[in-house]
Amino acid sequence: MVNLDTAAQLDAADPLAHFRERFVGASTDLVYFDGNSLGRPVAAAADRLHDFVHQEWGGRLIRGWDERWMDLPTSLGDELGRVVLGAAAGQIAVGDSTTVWLYKLMRAAVDHAVRTDPGRTEIVIDTDNFPTDRYVAEGIAAERGLTLRWIEVDTSAGVTPDQLREAVGERTALVVLTHVAYRSAWLADGPELTRIAHDAGALVLWDLCHSAGSVEVALDEWDADLAVGCSYKYLNGGPGSPAFGYVRARLQDDLTQPIQGWMGHADPFLMGPGYTPARGIRRFISGTPPILGMVAMQAMLELVEEAGIENIRAKSVALTSYAVELAEATLPEVTLASPRDPAQRGGHVTLHHDRMREVTAALWERDVIPDYRDPGGLRIGLSPLSTSFDEVERGMAAVAQSLTETAR
Ligand SMILES: *Cc1c(COP(=O)(O)O)cnc(C)c1O
């Protein structure tokens, strides 16, 4: 047996432990292992939403648009950039879903690439990228007569620099990469992969859905061109809260996005004939932004700033490492389907066993909530500010028990 620190010792030594009580439901016995799919609500979000309905929406009514809401997609985008994404102001807008952002930014990027060099007819993407990323890329390739070049990846890992170097070349228009792989939690090398795409003359788009609020991201420093990400995972914005899109400042006025709506117009209230895109990041907005969905996210972003993203990442590493150690000590029949080196791993851990589908169902019955991803993957997502080491220990004990029970 390995000699593990007890959960109580780890919680006592955790400088972020006190954040847990600021989430709805964290004081119950339920074990939540799916913060990477839907973060718990921040307690303050309930008050914010109440006040918003009564004062801003109920009191200011249509005046709210002039007073605050028109600017919220970009002012909240600036906050996201400053607190979690390493992006200077004026490069991020909030609204739409990640899927819609993927469509808008991939289309804008490939159209620009082909315009500049008609020989650039390929989109490079990996076979284990999130389904929506792959499907959108397939649709755009069909629409624009482009070819997809697939990188075959190990589903327990992700795209390596060598694999990307082999896939890109003078035909590459765009490289689409996910920073933390949804299945394995593989943490891709942001700056290195961006450099490899650029050396081939291609643009690069990063999907940050499983990164934002959990691992450190430095879009400007990486020299990234485009990025998207959602806010209902580690940014706790609530089911269906809006996504964000990042477009590097130097590219903005060269790109045109395909959903040219009135809110991306240079002067929305001119309401004149013909579309003239706004300058800067606003041209990537399409229609009326979802303001309600931004209110809860804002409360979480304040907690993230208070804790510090580097401290959040440190706790995330400690939590996932603890889960891996417990799995290795108590679940000999299970294999780790995530990188063992925490430097190569995002905020979740996937454990493989043929019976994990049944095990997940049994766990949900007893209020232990991980999720399941084929083939045989139990995903344990550990949202750093709302998860304790004690919760990890109780949850892993329940996994062991459910594995034993489902074997009968
Ligand atoms: C969760 C997730 C999405 C989700 O896209 P939606 O449009 O919000 O449904 C996309 N990409 C990745 C990598 C994800 O993890």
Side-chain angles (χ1 to χ4, degrees):
M1 276 297 276
V2 271
N3 193 6
L4 295 179
D5 279 332
T6 66
Q9 285 170 319
L10 291 166
D11 280 321
D14 170 16
L16 303 185
H18 62 281
F19 280 97
R20 188 167 145 82
E21 63 204 34
R22 291 162 72 177
F23 292 84
V24 174
S27 60
T28 68
D29 286 339
L30 180 145
V31 171
Y32 196 46
F33 278 176
D34 214 2
N36 60 320
S37 276
L38 178 68
R40 286 181 186 270
V42 179
D47 301 331
R48 295 286 176 86
L49 285 164
H50 180 275
D51 292 350
F52 181 84
V53 170
H54 287 269
Q55 290 156 25
E56 262 191 71
W57 179 5
R60 303 310 298 160
L61 294 163
I62 196 70
R63 292 172 292 186
W65 284 110
D66 288 340
E67 290 166 3
R68 194 168 84 102
W69 308 334
M70 259 333 237
D71 287 333
L72 202 53
T74 51
S75 61
L76 186 55
D78 289 348
E79 283 297 283
L80 273 171
R82 185 176 63 80
V83 177
V84 293
L85 301 178
Q91 304 180 102
I92 297 175
V94 177
D96 299 322
S97 64
T98 299
T99 302
V100 172
W101 274 114
L102 282 166
Y103 179 72
K104 297 204 291 191
L105 298 190
M106 276 192 216
R107 259 287 302 267
V110 296
D111 288 354
H112 174 69
V114 172
R115 229 176 9 247
T116 324
D117 174 357
R120 294 202 177 264
T121 55
E122 290 185 354
I123 301 172
V124 171
I125 187 166
D126 68 280
T127 50
D128 206 35
N129 208 326
F130 192 84
T132 216
D133 302 58
R134 291 183 278 112
Y135 304 159
V136 168
E138 283 173 12
I140 287 175
E143 204 172 69
R144 301 316 248 184
L146 306 174
T147 308
L148 297 183
R149 181 174 288 274
W150 295 100
I151 299 175
E152 294 272 346
V153 292
D154 175 351
T155 55
S156 300
V159 180
T160 64
D162 284 344
Q163 284 175 311
L164 185 62
R165 235 175 255 119
E166 253 181 54
V168 294
E170 55 190 23
R171 289 212 209 121
T172 316
L174 173 68
V175 176
V176 179
L177 294 164
T178 288
H179 186 220
V180 173
Y182 79 102
R183 196 193 307 271
S184 67
W186 170 268
L187 179 61
D189 188 333
E192 179 67 8
L193 297 182
T194 300
R195 195 173 313 120
I196 292 166
H198 286 175
D199 285 348
L203 294 173
V204 58
L205 184 156
W206 283 100
D207 185 328
L208 305 174
C209 279
H210 266 83
S211 317
S214 157
V215 302
E216 288 154 294
V217 174
L219 287 171
D220 289 350
E221 213 177 287
W222 297 358
D223 203 24
D225 300 302
L226 305 156
V228 299
C230 59
S231 68
Y232 49 81
K233 293 174 178 167
Y234 295 105
L235 292 172
N236 306 53
S241 61
F244 60 84
Y246 163 94
V247 182
R248 191 67 195 262
R250 62 163 182 260
L251 272 176
Q252 288 169 1
D253 293 334
D254 290 337
L255 298 192
T256 48
Q257 59 109 340
I259 306 179
Q260 42 181 60
W262 72 302
M263 280 283 173
H265 192 281
D267 186 355
F269 288 96
L270 187 65
M271 299 183 153
Y275 176 78
T276 311
R279 293 189 70 80
I281 192 68
R282 289 203 76 90
R283 68 172 51 196
F284 298 93
I285 298 173
S286 294
T288 304
I291 301 300
L292 267 180
M294 299 183 197
V295 175
M297 183 205 319
Q298 220 165 5
M300 179 61 178
L301 206 51
E302 287 166 20
L303 287 199
V304 170
E305 180 168 27
E306 192 184 327
I309 188 69
E310 62 292 344
N311 300 323
I312 289 174
R313 169 65 177 157
K315 175 155 182 201
S316 170
V317 165
L319 285 168
T320 55
S321 299
Y322 187 52
V324 169
E325 284 170 29
L326 286 172
E328 288 177 346
T330 63
L331 306 171
E333 67 274 49
V334 156
T335 50
L336 180 64
S338 294
R340 200 176 185 292
D341 175 3
Q344 293 210 316
R345 186 174 70 220
H348 64 279
V349 170
T350 301
L351 299 177
H352 180 269
H353 189 282
D354 289 342
R355 280 201 312 282
M356 283 309 192
R357 190 191 287 278
E358 289 159 81
V359 167
T360 304
L363 288 168
W364 281 39
E365 288 285 313
R366 52 162 57 132
D367 270 356
V368 174
I369 324 274
D371 68 17
Y372 175 79
R373 290 291 178 269
D374 256 342
L378 181 85
R379 250 182 6 161
I380 298 174
L382 304 170
S383 194
L385 292 184
S386 60
T387 309
S388 65
F389 291 91
D390 171 65
E391 195 175 1
V392 175
E393 185 181 45
R394 285 185 292 119
M396 293 302 290
V399 173
Q401 205 175 342
S402 295
L403 261 172
T404 309
E405 284 168 14
T406 53
R408 289 193 192 122

